[in-house]
């Protein structure tokens, strides 16, 4: 056995147990150094299939792990409990009345800013004005020209002089994070709330989704967060950026002198990426926990999403409306989107696999397969406690591609195709950006989403497709089979267990079980929810043998070629029993 000894300067310790095995112990840059050693083995000794074995422990990162085309053929395996973490511990807590206070840690030479905190593995609450979301205030009115929301005075009285307060606004199928610039008391029981740019302009320009003013009092609800004045409940915390202090009110039984307090510092833990012509290929990750990631964009630019967490960079109404070809209904707006960050990002890659991995304590998306994807699998993984989407796959438009245009690239290699998402457990994701989903598949082809269990979701379980039109595009031949989706729509409506958009011929949705929907009282339209929902432009889809407690389905502005067959409570018990994870 060839031993490799590294000095302390290398900050890594590992040995080659055989020509193809590299054994790694936790230390700074240990995984990066192991990848470098594997590349040397390929170059100098002609080895191709190399396994990097991570021994038990926590591997803390200062930057993402980059896996490149030079790493093709590598398997990275966790032996024991292996955690790849973007978190930083906070210690040195001191009592200050009912609160405890600690210094903000330095990270990479700067005071750390963060939007999440975990105490003994449990997510703490960023200080907010309501403990029970059913008690959220509702807006009174909106003036889009002046970019102002009118709200009850009582809702903002505490924070009218606060510097870092933020409104989280419920908008049909999305929530917007709007940083508050100014509060003006209007007399009586109302106040005017103004917001920072750029989100103020984007938010008030776009028509969908929008704050709702109704005739029955179900106006859009909101809560306020991020202010010292709101820190009044056990389990809440607040960050004083200027003073570089963090404050926390412990829950019963928490001992802050010994508590394990973690805050996120790294946005993306792992990037597996090549180029369109030179892919990262045949790479597998097994038995690894990816944990504690940050997402700071809402703190710097706000967050005004279009759908499924894809945030808008520009959007506006069309007047008059545009009459689209091919039978599509009139288009009343245009918009361009950005993509939220993810803990794991895969792009320009073939046959990249994650098996028996865990993704937890994630600020935004857990795992994202973007473009130029061929094959690969996410199997027997557990995704839990994520602020955004669980899994994202495929193109969703971007800064240059208008969201309502069909995406059908000349270079078909761009399309995410052949991905297998099977036998995963996805729970308690979307717990900050409520408009996100369990699995979001955009412009994808030949992918299989099967035997997953998805629960405790703020919006939709599985969202398949994009584009809001029935014109031919990149989507085709997808399968959504035997998934178990329950306890969804915890916060949002205009939702379904399984939801589709756009033309996707030869797509099969079969054998799924959808049940147990939440009924939040603050939804502006409490009846607008469904078990199965084919939305704008959905075409060429076979929907059959899906069990639901009733036939509460919606077919909205669909295109041609959809077939519905044997969906509802009449589906046989044998199909019901086969949905969900199949354990080996």
């Amino acid at each position: 056995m060839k031993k490799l000894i590294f000095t302390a300067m290398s900050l890594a310790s590992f040995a080659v147990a055989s020509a193809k095995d590299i054994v790694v112990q936790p230390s700074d840059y240990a995984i990066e150094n192991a990848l470098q050693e594997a590349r040397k083995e390929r170059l100098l000794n002609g080895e191709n299939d190399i396994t990097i074995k991570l021994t038990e422990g926590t591997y803390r990162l200062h930057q993402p792990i980059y896996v490149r085309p030079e790493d093709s053929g590598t398997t990275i395996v966790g032996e024991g409990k292996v955690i790849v973490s973007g978190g930083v511990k906070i210690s040195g807590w001191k009592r200050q009345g009912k609160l405890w206070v600690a210094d903000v840690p330095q990270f990479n030479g700067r005071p750390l800013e963060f939007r999440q905190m975990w105490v003994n593995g449990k997510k703490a609450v960023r200080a907010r004005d309501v403990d029970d979301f059913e008690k959220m205030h509702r807006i009174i009115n909106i003036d889009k020209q002046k970019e102002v929301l009118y709200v009850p005075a009582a809702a903002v009285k505490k924070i009218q002089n606060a510097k870092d307060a933020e409104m989280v606004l419920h908008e049909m199928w999305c929530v917007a994070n709007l940083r508050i610039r100014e509060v003006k008391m209007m007399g009586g029981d109302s106040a005017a709330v103004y917001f920072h740019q750029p989100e103020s302009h984007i938010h008030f320009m776009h028509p969908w989704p929008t704050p709702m003013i109704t005739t029955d009092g179900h106006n859009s609800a909101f809560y306020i967060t991020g202010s010292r004045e709101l820190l009044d409940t056990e389990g809440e915390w607040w960050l004083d950026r200027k003073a570089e202090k963090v404050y926390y009110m412990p829950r019963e039984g928490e001992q802050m002198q010994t508590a394990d307090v973690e805050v996120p510092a790294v946005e993306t833990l792992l990037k597996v990426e090549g180029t369109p012509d030179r892919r990262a290929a045949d790479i597998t990750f097994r038995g690894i926990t990816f944990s504690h990631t940050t997402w700071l964009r809402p703190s710097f630019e706000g967050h005004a999403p279009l759908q499924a967490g894809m945030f808008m960079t520009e959007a506006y109404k069309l007047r008059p409306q545009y009459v689209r070809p091919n039978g599509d209904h009139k288009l009343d707006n245009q918009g361009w989107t950005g993509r939220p960050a993810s803990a794991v990002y895969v792009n320009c890659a073939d046959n990249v696999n994650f098996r028996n991995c865990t993704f937890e304590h994630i600020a935004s998306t857990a795992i994202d397969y973007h473009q130029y994807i061929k094959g690969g699998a996410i199997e027997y993984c557990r995704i839990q406690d994520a602020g955004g989407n669980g899994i994202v796959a495929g193109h969703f438009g971007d800064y240059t591609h208008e969201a309502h245009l069909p995406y059908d690239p000349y270079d078909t290699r761009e399309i995410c195709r052949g991905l297998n998402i099977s036998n995963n457990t996805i729970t308690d994701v979307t717990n900050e950006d409520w408009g996100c989903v369990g699995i979001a598949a955009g412009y994808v082809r030949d992918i299989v989403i099967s035997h997953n269990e998805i629960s405790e979701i703020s919006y939709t379980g599985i969202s398949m497709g994009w584009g809001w039109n029935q014109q031919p595009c990149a989507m085709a031949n997808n399968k959504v089979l035997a998934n178990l989706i329950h306890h969804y729509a915890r916060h949002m409506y205009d939702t379904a267990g399984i939801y589709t958009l756009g033309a996707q011929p030869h797509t099969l949705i079969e054998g799924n079980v959808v049940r147990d929907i939440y009924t939040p009282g603050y939804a502006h339209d409490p009846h607008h929810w469904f078990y199965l929902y084919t939305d704008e432009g959905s075409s060429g889809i076979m929907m059959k043998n899906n069990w639901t407690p009733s036939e509460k389905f919606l077919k909205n502005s669909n295109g041609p070629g959809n077939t519905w067959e044997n969906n509802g409570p009449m589906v046989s018990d044998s199909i019901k029993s086969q949905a969900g994870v199949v354990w080996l």
Side-chain angles (χ1 to χ4, degrees), residues 66-72 271-281 283 345-350 352 371-373:
Y66 294 96
V67 177
R68 302 179 170 91
E70 288 79 5
D71 303 305
S72 295
K271 287 189 175 183
V272 183
E273 189 166 15
T275 70
D277 297 315
R278 191 164 176 267
R279 313 288 183 87
I283 298 164
Y345 178 72
V346 183
N347 195 47
C348 296
D350 296 348
V352 173
Q371 292 177 280
Y372 292 96
I373 299 293

Side-chain angles (χ1 to χ4, degrees), residues 437-439 454 457 459-463 480 483 485-486 488-489 495-499 512-515 517 529-533 548 552:
V437 304
I439 299 175
I454 303 172
I457 303 295
Y459 179 43
T460 287
I462 297 174
S463 178
V480 180
N483 298 281
I485 301 165
H486 60 97
Y488 67 101
T495 184
I498 300 174
Y499 169 92
N512 302 282
V513 169
V514 180
R515 56 174 171 81
I517 187 167
W529 63 266
F530 308 94
Y531 295 117
L532 306 173
Y533 184 169
T548 61
K552 194 167 188 345

Side-chain angles (χ1 to χ4, degrees), residues 173 307-308 383 388-393 396 421 424-430 433-442 449-450 452-465 480 483-500 509 512-518 529-533:
W173 58 84
Q307 193 163 306
I383 302 174
N389 296 304
I391 298 172
V392 174
F396 281 86
I421 303 171
N424 302 289
T425 302
I426 302 171
T427 187
D428 188 28
V429 302
T430 75
D433 188 353
W434 294 348
C436 290
V437 304
I439 299 175
I449 301 173
S450 69
N452 302 284
E453 180 174 357
I454 303 172
S455 65
E456 301 301 335
I457 303 295
S458 298
Y459 179 43
T460 287
I462 297 174
S463 178
M464 170 65 76
V480 180
N483 298 281
L484 171 59
I485 301 165
H486 60 97
H487 294 94
Y488 67 101
R490 173 181 270 183
H491 297 297
M492 311 303 295
Y493 265 29
D494 192 27
T495 184
I498 300 174
Y499 169 92
T500 68
I509 300 175
N512 302 282
V513 169
V514 180
R515 56 174 171 81
D516 301 321
I517 187 167
Y518 282 104
W529 63 266
F530 308 94
Y531 295 117
L532 306 173
Y533 184 169

Side-chain angles (χ1 to χ4, degrees), residues 103-405:
D103 292 331
V104 169
Q106 297 280 313
F107 182 77
N108 291 354
R110 298 178 61 86
L112 187 59
E113 187 170 348
F114 47 91
R115 295 173 61 88
Q116 295 79 26
M117 187 168 83
W118 290 268
V119 180
N120 297 330
K122 184 176 182 179
K123 194 172 190 176
V125 177
R126 192 168 175 238
R128 64 180 186 234
D129 63 337
V130 292
D131 304 320
D132 181 355
F133 291 120
E134 293 292 341
K135 297 180 180 179
M136 286 190 291
H137 292 278
R138 296 179 183 271
I139 65 173
I140 297 172
N141 212 335
I142 179 173
D143 187 330
K144 290 198 171 188
Q145 294 299 317
K146 295 181 180 179
E147 298 185 3
V148 59
L149 289 177
Y150 296 96
V151 304
V156 291
K157 184 177 180 180
K158 281 187 177 181
I159 57 94
Q160 58 184 312
N161 297 314
K163 301 300 182 185
D164 289 326
E166 182 179 300
M167 178 184 286
V168 181
L169 179 63
H170 193 288
E171 298 181 309
M172 302 171 75
W173 58 84
C174 290
V175 290
N177 295 73
L178 306 172
R179 297 168 301 146
I180 295 173
R181 174 173 60 86
E182 185 180 7
V183 174
K184 290 183 179 180
M185 295 298 173
M186 304 299 291
D189 187 31
S190 69
V193 184
Y194 300 83
F195 305 97
H196 287 291
Q197 302 296 353
E199 68 265 34
S200 180
H201 175 71
I202 294 168
H203 177 261
F204 288 100
M205 280 282 287
H206 76 80
W208 303 110
T210 186
M212 296 302 297
I213 304 295
T214 69
T215 58
D216 60 3
H218 279 76
N219 296 351
S220 286
F222 66 91
Y223 68 89
I224 307 293
T225 186
S227 167
R228 169 67 177 85
E229 291 79 3
L230 305 176
L231 179 50
D232 57 8
T233 304
E234 291 184 2
E236 289 187 336
W237 64 274
W238 174 68
L239 171 66
D240 186 338
R241 293 184 299 112
K242 291 184 178 180
E244 299 178 17
K245 300 286 185 181
V246 58
Y247 295 84
Y248 179 62
M249 186 179 291
R251 301 179 178 99
E252 184 178 354
E254 290 176 339
Q255 303 296 321
M256 296 310 296
Q257 300 95 327
T258 57
D260 176 18
V261 181
E262 298 262 0
V263 294
V266 177
E267 188 170 72
T268 299
L269 304 174
L270 171 67
K271 287 189 175 183
V272 183
E273 189 166 15
T275 70
D277 297 315
R278 191 164 176 267
R279 313 288 183 87
D282 303 316
I283 298 164
T284 296
F285 300 85
R286 189 167 68 244
I288 300 169
T289 294
F290 297 92
S291 183
H292 295 111
T293 61
T294 193
W295 189 43
L296 290 177
R297 187 180 188 279
S299 292
F300 298 144
E301 301 179 71
H303 182 54
L306 174 61
Q307 193 163 306
M310 306 299 156
F311 57 86
M312 286 179 285
T313 59
E314 184 182 358
Y316 49 83
K317 286 184 177 180
L318 285 176
R319 293 292 184 270
Q321 296 179 357
Y322 170 60
V323 179
R324 297 192 287 182
N326 300 325
D328 277 320
H329 64 81
K330 292 179 180 179
L331 183 64
D332 68 354
N333 73 97
Q334 288 190 295
W336 292 261
T337 62
R339 193 180 189 98
S342 58
V344 170
Y345 178 72
V346 183
N347 195 47
C348 296
D350 296 348
N351 192 32
V352 173
N353 309 296
F354 291 83
R355 297 192 170 101
N356 299 107
C357 290
T358 297
F359 303 81
E360 63 181 4
H361 311 325
I362 304 300
S364 186
T365 298
I367 182 168
D368 184 348
Y369 280 65
H370 194 175
Q371 292 177 280
Y372 292 96
I373 299 293
K374 184 177 179 181
I378 307 169
E379 298 175 317
Y380 291 100
C381 292
R382 183 172 182 85
I383 302 174
Q384 60 190 13
D385 184 15
N389 296 304
I391 298 172
V392 174
H395 182 75
F396 281 86
D398 54 29
Y399 300 93
T400 62
H401 185 91
E402 202 278 320
H404 303 89
L405 286 176

